[in-house]
Amino acid sequence: MRIGVPKEIKSQESRVGLTPGVVHALVENGHEVFVETHAGAGVSLSDEDYRAAGAKVVDSAQAVFDSAELIIKVKEPQPVEIARLKPHHVLFTYLHLAPDPEQTKGLLASGATCIAYETITDKAGRLPLLAPMSQVAGRMSVQVGAGALLQPAGGRGLLLGGVPGVAPAKVMILGGGVSGEHAAQMAVGLGADVTLYDINPSRLAQLDAQFGGRLKTQFSARDAILAGLKDADLVIGAVLVAGAAAPKLVRRADLAIMKKGSVLVDISIDQGGCFETSRATTHAEPTFVVDGVVHYCVANMPGAAPITSTYALGAATAPYVMKLADKGMDAAFAEDAGFAAGLNVKGGKLTCRAVAESLGMENLLA
C-alpha cells in the first residue's frame, strides 16, 4: 500500500503522524511511505531520519496526497487538506466531527473514507487511540491551570499546592476517565485539595481506592457541581461521550457564583467543550476571560509537548496502521469490530451514529 504523511499545518501543531520506527516496519512489510519534507522537524526528526527508515521524502503536501492511498495525520484536516482528498483516499487521524459541521460537510463532499482515532474501541470498550493523548492532556491541564491561577496570567494569584500555613487551591475535576485520572494524579501530587466528579459509582470507588484517601470523590449531580463551583479555584473539564458532543456541565450563569480569577480548563474542547462559555483557543492565545473567570480551551493541548505526544500516539496507532496496510480496510475491520467503530465517513455518508445525531445529520447515515 502507498502511505502518506503530510506535515501538520494546524496552528502551533508540531506532531507528526508516523515516527521513523513505524515507517521502517511498514517498508519492511513491502509498503511505500511518502513523507512531506520537514514533517518531523517539530519533534527533532529530520528528512534523513525518514529516508534512513525507507521513506520517500517529497517536497509538498500535494505530492503526498497525489502519491498515497492511505493518509496518516494527527489532527483533523484543515480546509486546504480536505480539498486535496479524493474518493480513493483513506484518511486516518483524529477527526472530532461532532462539534464541527463544516469539516464534516467537507469530508462528505470529498468522497474519501475517514477513520477517526477517537472512536476506535478495544475489546474492553476503551478508546485505545484517544488514551495516550488523554493522558497528556490530563497531566497538562493541571500545569496550565496552575499557571493560569498566577496573577500575571490573570488568575487569582494563588499557588496550587499552597505552602505550610497557607491552604492549597481547591481543584474540581469533572470526569473520571483517562484525562480526569491523570489530572488527579498531577493535582494531588502538587498538594492541591482535589475533588473528582463522575456519574459512575463504580469508577468513583475505584479511584477512591487507587488514591488511598488523597482524592475526594463526588457523584456528579447538578447540585453537587454547583456547590463545588462556589469554592473552586481550578475546574478541569474532562468529560467524554465517545463520538458525540460533550455535555455542558457548567453554564454561563454558573460563573456568577465562582471566585473572580478562578480558572476553567476545558480538555473536552475537541468535542465542543463541557463549559457553556468555552470556545476553542490556540497555544498562541490560550486563554480568555468571561465574567471574571479565566478560560483555557486549547483544542490541541498535547501539541504543546509534541515529542512526548508523537511517540505516545505513534506507539498506540502503529498496530492499526499496520493492519490497514497489510490487510486492507475491509479485512481489518472484519476481524476487529472495535477498529471498524473508527469509521466515521465513507462514500459521502456518515457511518458513526453519535456524530450524525450530534450534528442533526441522521439523514446522511449510511
Side-chain angles (χ1 to χ4, degrees):
M1 183 176 285
R2 299 188 306 278
I3 302 157
V5 183
K7 181 178 173 63
E8 296 293 322
I9 58 173
K10 185 166 182 162
S11 174
Q12 301 288 308
E13 181 55 71
S14 300
R15 289 174 287 181
V16 64
L18 292 179
T19 61
V22 180
V23 169
H24 177 74
L26 288 164
V27 172
E28 285 285 293
N29 278 18
H31 307 295
E32 291 183 274
V33 182
F34 301 87
V35 178
E36 183 181 355
T37 184
H38 307 310
V43 293
S44 301
L45 292 170
S46 68
D47 288 350
E48 188 51 44
D49 291 326
Y50 282 100
R51 289 192 185 97
K56 296 178 175 69
V57 176
V58 297
D59 61 4
S60 69
Q62 188 62 58
V64 170
F65 281 78
D66 288 345
S67 302
E69 307 159 76
L70 173 61
I71 305 293
I72 307 295
K73 281 178 46 59
V74 177
K75 287 304 293 177
E76 71 279 357
Q78 303 303 292
V80 67
E81 295 174 309
I82 293 174
R84 294 186 178 115
L85 287 170
K86 306 298 179 188
H88 72 276
H89 282 131
V90 175
L91 174 66
F92 193 27
T93 189
Y94 287 118
L95 292 175
H96 298 292
L97 295 179
D100 195 344
E102 291 309 309
Q103 183 199 172
T104 304
K105 291 173 185 175
L107 295 180
L108 289 169
S110 76
T113 297
C114 305
I115 307 168
Y117 293 159
E118 72 272 9
T119 60
I120 290 171
T121 60
D122 63 15
K123 291 180 180 178
R126 297 168 299 200
L127 304 169
L129 303 194
L130 192 60
M133 297 303 93
S134 296
Q135 293 166 356
V136 173
R139 294 182 178 219
M140 273 189 63
S141 69
V142 177
Q143 293 182 209
V144 299
L149 271 174
L150 300 178
Q151 195 171 77
R156 297 190 64 219
L158 191 64
L159 186 65
L160 193 73
V163 294
V166 180
K170 292 185 180 293
V171 177
M172 287 179 70
I173 300 172
L174 303 178
V178 175
S179 290
E181 177 184 347
H182 282 260
Q185 288 177 0
M186 292 292 285
V188 167
L190 288 172
D193 180 349
V194 188
T195 304
L196 184 145
Y197 297 69
D198 199 272
I199 59 173
N200 185 336
S202 297
R203 180 59 173 160
L204 293 175
Q206 182 184 36
L207 290 167
D208 183 74
Q210 177 181 328
F211 282 86
R214 296 175 298 147
L215 173 70
K216 301 171 187 174
T217 57
Q218 180 82 45
F219 185 78
S220 187
R222 173 72 178 156
D223 59 346
I225 290 175
L226 288 174
L229 288 175
K230 292 178 183 178
D231 292 327
D233 300 298
L234 170 60
V235 182
I236 295 171
V239 181
L240 175 70
V241 179
K248 306 300 187 214
L249 298 186
V250 176
R251 303 169 189 169
R252 172 68 183 263
D254 300 342
L255 303 188
I257 67 174
M258 297 182 68
K259 303 171 187 175
K260 299 302 179 184
S262 55
V263 176
L264 299 177
V265 176
D266 199 340
I267 297 174
S268 304
I269 192 65
D270 279 328
Q271 293 295 126
C274 63
F275 308 136
E276 188 177 30
T277 44
S278 290
R279 57 176 172 82
T281 61
T282 67
H283 291 295
E285 295 184 43
T287 63
F288 59 92
V289 178
V290 178
D291 296 343
V293 177
V294 180
H295 292 57
Y296 179 102
C297 305
V298 174
N300 60 328
M301 285 179 67
I307 294 176
T308 299
S309 298
T310 289
Y311 283 95
L313 180 61
T317 60
Y320 293 91
V321 174
M322 294 298 295
K323 287 178 186 178
L324 281 176
D326 290 347
K327 301 178 180 182
M329 187 183 75
D330 291 343
F333 283 1
E335 68 179 35
D336 186 345
F339 193 3
L343 186 63
N344 279 209
V345 176
K346 184 178 182 183
K349 294 287 187 178
L350 289 170
T351 55
C352 178
R353 178 166 292 278
V355 167
E357 290 176 349
S358 293
L359 292 170
M361 294 181 177
E362 292 93 336
N363 60 310
L364 293 176
L365 270 170

